[in-house]
Amino acid sequence: MAKKDQTTEAAREKDREKWLARFQVRLVMQPGVDRAVVLQAVKDVTAHCAETGEHPRTAFGDPDAFAVQAAARLVPADRAARARQRNGVMDALDSVLKGARDLAGL
């Protein structure tokens, strides 16, 4: 019976790690998120789960949706707006360059 408990706990731990990995990837993709924001968000999640014993999915739901919420909470609005603007400019530039390459046959 103890072996089954170890297997179940190992599976739960792997699922927690997968949730956290997905959360971190999605968080990094949010405008204005830097290393400090990611570290703070992961610290908040792991501390909560350690204190309550809850799985992150139970406590915070979908990692993608929670990443958006965490970014909104942790990234100052002006920094997020600047990052969105910069991303828009880079997307437009990339589109122009792609069009130029297509015209040149590259």
Side-chain angles (χ1 to χ4, degrees), residues 7-105:
T7 303
T8 302
E9 184 56 37
R12 284 181 49 89
E13 181 60 30
K14 184 172 180 121
D15 192 44
R16 277 190 291 269
E17 289 172 5
K18 286 172 67 175
W19 189 97
L20 276 170
R22 174 92 181 201
F23 170 65
Q24 290 176 56
V25 167
R26 293 301 185 179
L27 185 59
V28 166
M29 295 170 66
Q30 300 306 305
V33 170
D34 60 9
R35 185 174 188 271
V37 169
V38 173
L39 292 175
Q40 183 62 50
V42 170
K43 179 181 173 186
D44 292 347
V45 168
T46 55
H48 175 83
C49 292
E51 289 172 14
T52 64
E54 286 181 291
H55 186 283
R57 185 173 305 282
T58 304
F60 304 105
D62 179 65
D64 297 345
F66 188 64
V68 172
Q69 293 172 6
R73 181 174 49 88
L74 296 171
V75 176
D78 61 329
R79 188 167 84 195
R82 282 192 311 271
R84 276 192 292 277
Q85 184 179 22
R86 187 173 47 248
N87 289 347
V89 168
M90 293 305 293
D91 289 345
L93 180 60
D94 188 47
S95 178
V96 168
L97 291 174
K98 183 179 183 296
R101 281 192 302 267
D102 289 347
L103 284 175

